[in-house]
Structures are given as C-alpha cells and as structure tokens.
C-alpha cells in the first residue's frame, strides 16, 4: 500500500475507536477525519465535501420535516392507539399485543424514515404502558427492531437506503427506485418480525427506566378533562376505557349534569360531556391531552392558542403578592390577559376539587399552560410569577391539521413511486407544502431536523472518497476476494454482509455504509459479481443493527426510555442478526443475480 492508503487506514481506525468511545459527537469525529485527510492531500475539496451536494442528506432533511409535521399534528395517533388497544400486555396476550405494536410500525416505517417515526411512536408506547400499568420495556425494543425491518422494504424507510442510493448515483450508476429493494426487504421483514414475536417474550426482561422512577415521586397536578361527544369513550365503562388503573395519574371524580361522583366506580359508564377530574404527575397530565376521546375542559381556550403553530408548554409559580392570588382563572380572564391557557394546577399536598376555572389560586400554586414561545420572556420578571419555565413535554397536537399531513405524505409516496418526480424533489415539495400550508412554522421545521445526523451523513461521503482515492478500498477488497472468493459469488456476498454488520455495530449505520461501499464496488469489479447486489447487501446489513444500542439511532432512542442494560440488545439481537444474514443470502441473489 502507498503512503496515502496507510494514512487513510490509520485515520479510519482512529475514527472507529473514537466513535466506539461515544465521548464525542459522531458528526464531529467523522467531519474531523475528513478534514485531516483533506489537509494531508489524500482528497481535494470537491471530494471532501461531496456529500454536502449529494441528494441523500437533502432528502433525509425533507423527510424529517414531514415526520415533524406528523408529530405536531398527531397524524399517526389514531393508528397507534387503535393498534395498541387498551388491555395490559401480559401472557398469554403479550405476543398478541407485540403483534399489534410491531406489525403496523414495520408497515409505517416502509414509507416514513424510521428514526423520526420511533421518535413519535416510542413516547406513545410509554404512555400506553403507563395507562395500563405495565412496563414499556417488553415493547420498546421490538418497536425499534420492527421499524428497522420495515425500513428496508422501500428506499423511503431509512437514511441508510438514501445514502446507498446516493453513493450509487455518485459512482455513475442509477439510483435505487422507491420499490426496487422491496423484493429483498419484504421477505426479510416478514421473517424477522415473525421471529421477533416468538423470541421477544422469552428474551426481553422487564425494566424500569430512571425517568419513570422519578415520575413516580413527582408532584401531583389536578386537571379537568371532558369526554368528547360521540367519541370512542362514550358508552364504555371507566375500566373499559382504561381510566381506572392509570400509572402516575388518578381519576378523582366525575361531574355529570352538575352532579359530582367521587369516588368513581369502575363500572360507571361514560357519557359524552362528562367532566373528569384527574390528579397526577405533569408527564401523565400532558399525556391525557393526547388521548383520543378526551379533551381538556379548557379546550375552548387551548384551541385559540394551540391551533397556531409554535405553541409550547410552560410552568409558572404564582407569587404571594400576585394579582392572581385569591382570584380564579375566570375572574382574571387569564387567557386574554396573560396570553396562555391553563389546563393543570398543582397545590402542594392537595387534590383540587371542582372546575379549574373556579379554583381560587394561592401563592405557591404551579400552573401548567399552553402559550406562544414568547410567554417566558414576557412574564419571567413579572411580580405575578415567582418562576416561569418551559416544560420539556411536547405540546398537545394540532389534530385539525392531521388530515393535511396525511394527504401530503400519501401524495409524496405516490409521486415518487410513479417517477412523476424524483424522490429528493418529492420530499422537498412535501416539506415546503407543509410549511406553506402553515402546518409547521419555519422555526418548527428547523427544529424537526437532526443536524447531527445530516452533517454525519454528508461528511461520511468524504471518507468514502478517501477510501477510493487512496487505493485502500482496492487493497481491502482484494483481501476480501482472496479470503472468501474461493466460495464464489456467494462467498463475496457473505463477506460483505458480515463485514458491514461488524462495521455498523462499531460505528453507525450510515458511516458503515459509506465505508463499505467503495470496498464492495472494488470487490465486485475484481470478482465480476453484480455491484448492485453488493450495494443492497450493504444497505440491509448497515440498517439491520440489533446487537447494541449504539449501532442504530432507533435503538439509542428506546435504550433510555425502556431502562435497558447494554447487553439486553444482544440477547434478542443476535438471533435476529443471524436470521437476517441467512435470509439475505437467499433473497439477494434471487432479486439481483450475482
């Protein structure tokens, strides 16, 4: 090997070591490695920053905006609630509940990038688990794995697919069609999800996340909700509606036609317009705002503020000398005067009875409200409040815009799959439409982007260029061909699959795909194997990361939410990885003859 190849090898080994320590952001490490190779003269400026002009990161960014709009409007909540149901997931129903969670997730992730999809769905699963008083850990890891399996069914499913497609286009080949990988990804997804439903109940241990431990000790708020007329809860008993044994929140009483009922019997049948008073921690109180069939009793005030894009949740502590002290929210015309809509109140040691608008406030009361982003700046120095702080919880969804998002998403898929527009153009058009239609503000669109992932993807292209330009890719592929070439084209395919699995568990999915691509293309040239088959093998192996929580973003998302330990992933992930490689060895040669 020449000096450039040796230098590139050293830089890549150091990059892998730094990424494995997780001490620095992946984008910083990869971009730093590209800059070192640029300064050393291994690659030029055009090669170093070629990823920033590639369609892949731009397409990923546009799809993140679309997913952000779905989250802000609750576009997928009806489907997720219907899928998960209301019953607790205990044996023998655990597999049935897992199927109801994972199968729709796998189907959805074929058309929505799985990282933002899990960002939307994982909190919904946690909320559902709290509602039925069960641990979310038996569901969150399968949820992540299901999204990974679904993500390889179409090119839309994961950023890795778009990266590989972009690499093919940059190498002078045709980019992947939206459904070109379906004949490979669909069989793997069906077999993988089926195996997971069999194995997960035996191999996943119930865990409690640190955040849930904190929530159980959190202060209690009182909130008043109303049963939506003609909604799905009308005619159900309190127990059937899942409102009896809620984890982290307690149904204090029901008011119907001016008559109060407390305590509430589990067989009490709900009627449209019933006012339900709950007491619980702030996260569960916010969860109630998202439950279909319930709406805040202050909905007429919330809708004025919440329907406008950009609404945020705030906590404000009433001061002793405040004009609010001794008055009710109604008396002070809180919404018009302060520009916020209160939907929950905390008073130390008390569960507040009656309607929130009629509660006489005291100094020290904590109000949870929905307001515009400027609320804190306007009122943090006011004598009316001791403290004003933003909450990390997401605001209630703007459901009246959900149908717009669903239509735009369907249109994007149809336009891209029928080649009326290329995928990057269709995704950009969808993202722009959602901003122009005021589903998202430009600020919310920016917030939905993961610049860490986008920079990492774009920078990783520079490493791929260095592998090719320095001759290191040709050298490594030569060793790969010598080692497994005796087994013929299937040996080359197996070698690429296994090498990519190791790389993606050590690095990240996108970095592994970019590093393996030039090696695989060089191996294809030396051995005569179909290059597109090896590209799809990289796509599958880089996406199907099941062994660690760091190899794929969706695993990292559920890692903390589920309270898992590092080794929990390998327990279920190892058989799934072996199965994925085995099925790939069958379906890839059938779809792309070697």
């Amino acid at each position: 090997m020449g000096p450039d190849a040796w230098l590139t090898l050293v830089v890549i080994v150091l990059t892998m070591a730094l990424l494995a320590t997780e001490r620095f952001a992946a984008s910083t490490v990869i971009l730093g490695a590209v800059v070192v190779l640029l300064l050393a003269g291994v690659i030029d400026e055009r090669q170093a920053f070629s990823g920033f002009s590639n369609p892949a990161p731009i397409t990923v960014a546009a799809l993140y905006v679309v997913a952000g709009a779905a989250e802000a409007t609750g576009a997928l909540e009806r489907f997720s609630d219907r899928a998960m149901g209301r019953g607790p997931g205990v044996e023998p129903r655990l597999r049935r509940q897992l199927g109801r969670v994972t199968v729709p997730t796998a189907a959805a992730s074929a058309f929505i990038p799985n990282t933002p999809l899990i960002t939307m769905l994982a909190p919904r699963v946690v909320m559902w688990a709290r509602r039925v008083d069960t641990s979310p850990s038996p569901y969150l890891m399968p949820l992540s794995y299901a999204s990974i399996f679904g993500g390889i069914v179409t090119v839309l499913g994961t950023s890795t697919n778009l990266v590989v497609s972009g690499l093919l286009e940059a190498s002078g080949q045709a980019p992947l069609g939206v459904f070109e990988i379906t004949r490979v990804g669909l069989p793997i997804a069906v077999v993988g999800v089926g195996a997971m439903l069999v194995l997960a109940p035996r191999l996943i241990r119930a865990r409690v996340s640190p955040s849930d431990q904190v929530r159980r000790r959190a202060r209690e708020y009182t909130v008043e909700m109303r049963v939506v007329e003609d909604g799905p809860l009308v005619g159900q008993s309190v127990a059937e509606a899942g409102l009896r044994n809620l984890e982290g929140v307690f149904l204090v009483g029901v008011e119907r036609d001016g008559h109060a009922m407390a305590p509430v019997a589990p067989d009490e049948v709900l009627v449209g317009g019933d006012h339900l008073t709950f007491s619980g921690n702030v996260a569960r109180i916010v969860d109630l705002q998202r439950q279909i069939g319930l709406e805040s009793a202050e909905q007429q005030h919330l809708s004025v503020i919440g329907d406008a894009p950009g609404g945020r949740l705030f906590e404000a502590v009433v001061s002793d000398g405040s004009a609010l002290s001794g008055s009710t929210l109604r008396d002070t015309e809180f919404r018009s005067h302060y520009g916020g809509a209160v939907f929950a109140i905390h008073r130390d040691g008390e569960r507040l009875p009656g309607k929130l608008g009629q509660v006489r406030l005291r100094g020290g009361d904590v109000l949870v409200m929905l307001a515009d982003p400027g609320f804190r700046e306007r009122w943090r120095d006011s004598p009316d409040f001791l403290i004003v702080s933003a909450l990390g919880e997401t605001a209630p969804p703007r459901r009246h815009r959900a149908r717009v998002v669903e239509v735009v998403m369907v249109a994007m898929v149809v336009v891209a799959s029928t080649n009326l527009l290329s995928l990057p153009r269709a995704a950009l058009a969808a993202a722009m439409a959602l901003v122009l239609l005021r589903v998202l503000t430009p600020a919310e669109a920016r917030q939905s982007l993961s610049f860490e992932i986008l920079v990492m993807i774009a920078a990783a292209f520079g490493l791929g260029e260095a592998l090719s330009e320095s001759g290191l890719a040709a050298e490594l592929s030569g060793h790969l061909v010598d080692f497994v070439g005796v087994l013929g084209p299937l040996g080359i395919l197996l070698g690429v699959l296994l090498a990519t699995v190791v790389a993606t568990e050590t690095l990240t999915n996108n970095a592994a795909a970019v590093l393996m691509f030039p090696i695989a293309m060089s191996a294809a040239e030396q051995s005569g194997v179909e290059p597109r088959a090896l590209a799809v093998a990289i796509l599958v192996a880089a996406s199907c990361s099941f062994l660690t929580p760091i190899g794929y973003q969706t695993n990292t998302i559920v890692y903390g939410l589920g309270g898992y330990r590092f080794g929990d992933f390998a327990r279920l992930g190892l058989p799934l990885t072996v199965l994925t490689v085995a099925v790939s060895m069958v379906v890839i040669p059938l779809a792309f003859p070697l």
Side-chain angles (χ1 to χ4, degrees):
M1 293 194 301
D4 284 355
W6 279 111
L7 177 59
T8 302
L9 178 61
V10 170
V11 169
I12 288 177
V13 170
L14 289 175
T15 299
M16 295 173 67
L18 287 173
L19 288 172
T21 65
E22 299 184 79
R23 295 182 61 185
F24 305 97
S27 60
T28 302
V29 173
I30 295 174
L31 187 58
V34 171
V35 171
V36 169
L37 293 169
L38 171 65
L39 295 177
V42 177
I43 49 178
D44 58 27
E45 290 84 352
R46 180 191 60 80
Q47 293 167 326
F49 303 112
S50 59
F52 290 90
S53 61
N54 191 280
I58 303 300
T59 307
V60 172
L63 291 173
Y64 268 67
V65 172
V66 175
E71 181 179 14
T73 60
L76 298 176
E77 288 184 2
R78 291 178 300 162
F79 305 105
S80 62
D81 278 3
R82 189 176 304 155
M84 288 182 285
R86 301 187 180 277
V90 295
E91 289 287 2
R93 296 190 60 192
L94 179 55
R95 284 194 178 89
R96 187 188 313 166
Q97 289 295 143
L98 275 175
R100 296 181 67 173
V101 171
T102 56
V103 173
T105 298
S109 65
F111 301 100
I112 303 172
N114 49 19
T115 298
L117 179 67
I118 293 304
T119 302
M120 290 186 287
L121 291 183
R124 301 289 301 166
V125 172
V126 173
M127 183 182 76
W128 170 83
R130 291 178 190 149
R131 190 167 69 231
V132 299
D133 195 21
T134 189
S135 170
S137 59
Y139 303 94
L140 288 173
M141 191 188 300
L143 183 80
S144 173
Y145 289 174
S147 75
I148 290 172
F149 279 124
I152 61 174
V153 174
T154 77
V155 173
L156 295 169
T158 172
S159 59
T160 308
N161 302 351
L162 297 169
V163 167
V164 172
S165 181
L167 289 168
L168 282 169
E169 189 171 8
S171 67
Q173 303 180 60
L176 292 170
V178 173
F179 294 103
E180 186 175 351
I181 62 173
T182 303
R183 45 192 170 164
V184 171
L186 185 58
I188 296 174
V190 170
V191 173
V193 172
M196 186 170 61
L197 294 179
V198 174
L199 297 173
R202 298 179 179 273
L203 298 179
I204 297 180
R205 296 175 181 173
R207 304 289 189 191
V208 178
S209 69
S211 61
D212 274 343
Q213 294 173 355
V214 171
R215 290 177 198 274
R216 290 173 183 176
R217 300 190 297 267
R219 60 191 176 196
E220 289 191 345
Y221 286 81
T222 299
V223 65
E224 186 183 2
M225 305 295 292
R226 181 169 50 231
V227 177
V228 177
E229 300 280 357
D230 300 323
L233 301 185
V234 174
Q236 293 191 24
S237 69
V238 169
E240 290 170 340
L243 303 178
R244 178 64 178 176
N245 295 312
L246 298 171
E247 195 276 329
V249 69
F250 175 72
L251 178 59
V252 178
V254 176
E255 182 180 318
R256 180 181 301 155
D257 298 328
H259 300 288
M261 293 178 283
V264 184
D267 58 355
E268 181 65 39
V269 176
L270 298 173
V271 176
D274 280 353
H275 285 244
L276 313 181
T277 301
F278 293 92
S279 179
N281 64 61
V282 68
R284 284 298 295 120
I285 292 299
V286 173
D287 286 345
L288 286 173
Q289 309 296 314
R290 305 181 70 91
Q291 183 162 329
I292 296 175
L294 291 180
E295 65 179 11
S296 172
E298 304 298 321
Q299 187 64 33
Q300 71 274 21
H301 301 308
L302 286 176
S303 60
V304 173
I305 296 170
D307 287 349
R312 297 187 63 186
L313 295 178
F314 294 90
E315 274 185 324
V317 181
V318 178
S319 64
D320 287 327
S322 170
L324 293 167
S325 184
S327 301
T328 67
L329 295 171
R330 186 169 301 167
D331 292 340
T332 58
E333 297 182 342
F334 190 94
R335 182 183 61 80
S336 59
H337 182 69
Y338 293 96
V342 175
F343 63 84
I345 301 175
H346 164 75
R347 179 172 295 168
D348 191 31
E350 292 187 38
R351 285 177 173 169
L352 302 175
K355 297 183 178 180
L356 295 187
Q358 299 174 353
V359 172
R360 293 204 172 272
L361 300 175
R362 301 177 188 171
D365 284 352
V366 185
L367 314 179
V368 174
M369 69 192 75
L370 181 65
D372 65 272
F375 180 87
R376 181 174 182 272
E377 297 301 319
R378 291 197 307 271
W379 296 105
R380 65 178 178 178
D381 297 323
S382 167
D384 288 341
F385 302 110
L386 292 173
I387 301 173
V388 178
S389 61
L391 280 173
E393 307 293 337
T394 57
R398 305 186 286 270
R399 287 198 178 93
H400 72 295
R401 309 292 285 170
R403 189 57 55 86
V404 175
V405 178
E406 293 166 359
V407 170
V408 169
M409 292 172 70
V410 171
M412 177 188 69
V413 173
V414 171
V415 168
S417 60
T418 56
N419 293 321
L420 293 176
L421 288 176
S422 65
L423 178 57
R425 292 181 181 182
L428 286 170
M432 182 177 293
L434 292 170
V435 174
L436 293 177
L437 292 171
R438 298 183 59 80
V439 175
L440 293 178
T441 65
E444 287 178 314
R446 287 194 300 271
Q447 291 168 5
S448 65
L449 300 177
S450 174
F451 288 101
E452 164 74 14
I453 293 176
L454 297 177
V455 171
M456 183 183 67
I457 291 173
F461 277 78
L463 283 183
E465 290 283 354
L467 275 168
S468 298
E469 188 68 19
S470 66
L472 181 59
E475 187 73 24
L476 294 177
S477 63
H479 290 300
L480 177 66
V481 171
D482 291 340
F483 183 68
V484 296
V486 294
L487 302 176
L490 286 176
I492 301 293
L493 177 63
L494 179 61
V496 169
L497 283 167
L498 295 179
T500 308
V501 166
V502 173
T504 196
E505 299 297 353
T506 308
L507 306 171
T508 64
N509 53 320
N510 292 314
V514 173
L515 290 177
M516 284 301 303
F517 185 83
I519 298 173
M521 292 302 100
S522 182
E525 184 178 351
Q526 294 178 40
S527 63
V529 174
E530 168 58 42
R532 217 165 181 82
L534 298 187
V536 173
I538 291 172
L539 179 154
V540 171
S543 293
C544 293
S545 170
F546 305 122
L547 296 175
T548 71
I550 63 173
Y552 204 87
Q553 295 94 337
T554 61
N555 293 346
T556 306
I557 291 169
V558 302
Y559 183 34
L561 286 174
Y564 298 112
R565 298 174 185 173
F566 197 92
D568 290 342
F569 285 81
R571 188 177 295 110
L572 176 60
L574 182 59
L576 293 181
T577 299
V578 172
L579 188 64
T580 297
V581 172
V583 177
S584 298
M585 290 295 295
V586 175
V587 296
I588 291 178
L590 292 176
F592 300 92
L594 302 176

